[in-house]
Amino acid sequence: MKFAVIQFPGASCDLDLYHAVTDVLGEQAEYVHHQETDLSAYDAILLPGGASYGDAVRAGALARTAPVMEGIIGAAKDGKPVLGVGNGFQVLTEAGLLPGAFLKNRDQKFVCRSVKVQVVNSRTMFTSEYTEGEELDIPIAHGEGNFYCDEETYSKLKENNQIVFVYSDGNPNGSVGDIAGLISEKGNVLGMMPHPERAAESILGSEDGLNVFKSIVKEWRESHANQA
């Protein structure tokens, strides 16, 4: 399986994603410059965390205008898995690939620590290697991680089982419904504020995030086996 790791100016977690995919998972990955528009050679798209464009205007707003977004939106429409982590999640909401928006953290402070996250939907291409209700230990690192949506949108997210991860031991940023991660209606776009690539091997203190990437690979292999 071949992953594209998008490189936006100012993003800082692209190396972490690349390492998790190649060195830990043993799959292929390439860095893709933000000026590229054709992502057809890749099976999955990863949008990293970090402050793309210095979070100017607001987190993710300028990255949404980068040429590479044309390819990302096209990949999402084609049903390819698209994962946005941290700032990548913010970019996906700015691009309209996921609902909602992000506000500054409730306490107006940058938060960088491990948090408890519960899997509330294990029937997705990103979470099939987890069990529903499983509690994970995964780091966060953000200043604008306060996910917001109106009541109608929140009700729709719950009704469609689009909420995938929730904070389970205190809400670190004020997110509506304790939301830590959600998927698109189609199910192939996931945004999450916790960083699974920073919890992908024991030397980091937790391997709880690795199954996000294993789930993507499992789904891809099964879909290709069915096509064969």
Side-chain angles (χ1 to χ4, degrees):
M1 187 173 186
K2 194 172 185 180
F3 289 76
V5 179
I6 309 301
Q7 290 190 307
F8 293 111
S12 58
C13 302
D14 44 352
L15 275 68
D16 297 340
L17 282 171
Y18 184 91
H19 171 71
V21 168
T22 59
D23 297 327
V24 182
L25 201 59
E27 299 295 330
Q28 297 181 56
E30 290 182 357
Y31 295 117
V32 177
H33 193 266
H34 61 98
Q35 294 287 350
E36 295 290 334
T37 57
D38 184 5
L39 301 180
S40 60
Y42 302 100
D43 302 305
I45 316 299
L46 306 179
L47 284 71
S52 60
Y53 296 90
D55 282 346
V57 183
R58 62 183 176 272
L62 293 185
R64 188 268 171 269
T65 67
V68 75
M69 289 306 302
E70 177 184 336
I72 294 170
I73 292 170
K77 288 181 178 177
D78 289 341
K80 292 183 179 181
V82 177
L83 169 63
V85 177
N87 187 234
F89 187 0
Q90 295 160 339
V91 174
L92 293 175
T93 61
E94 290 287 339
L97 291 174
L98 289 174
F102 282 90
L103 309 174
K104 290 187 180 299
N105 291 347
R106 175 186 52 219
D107 298 331
Q108 302 290 302
K109 294 178 180 179
F110 186 87
V111 180
C112 182
R113 59 181 172 86
S114 288
V115 296
K116 297 296 183 183
V117 178
Q118 187 179 59
V119 180
V120 293
N121 184 356
S122 62
R123 301 177 304 281
T124 80
M125 66 169 63
F126 304 96
T127 56
S128 62
E129 289 292 284
Y130 293 109
T131 57
E132 208 147 302
E134 185 174 352
E135 191 171 67
L136 315 176
D137 187 4
I138 303 182
I140 56 171
H142 54 249
E144 296 180 42
N146 183 356
F147 177 80
Y148 173 79
C149 64
D150 59 29
E151 290 185 11
E152 181 180 351
T153 301
Y154 180 59
S155 295
K156 187 177 180 181
L157 290 174
K158 290 198 296 183
E159 183 180 330
N160 294 339
N161 292 317
Q162 288 176 250
I163 300 171
V164 177
F165 299 109
V166 296
Y167 300 110
S168 57
D169 186 21
N171 187 325
N173 48 40
S175 289
V176 167
D178 299 327
I179 291 175
L182 57 86
I183 54 172
S184 60
E185 282 192 55
K186 191 174 178 179
N188 65 305
V189 179
L190 169 67
M192 57 187 299
M193 290 311 292
H195 286 257
E197 76 281 8
R198 296 184 182 178
E201 50 190 331
S202 58
I203 194 172
L204 299 176
S206 173
E207 298 177 276
D208 290 352
L210 186 58
N211 277 348
V212 170
F213 304 102
K214 284 184 175 180
S215 297
I216 296 172
V217 174
K218 176 186 175 184
E219 175 75 17
W220 179 82
R221 287 179 176 162
E222 289 179 350
S223 66
H224 279 67
N226 292 333
Q227 290 173 12

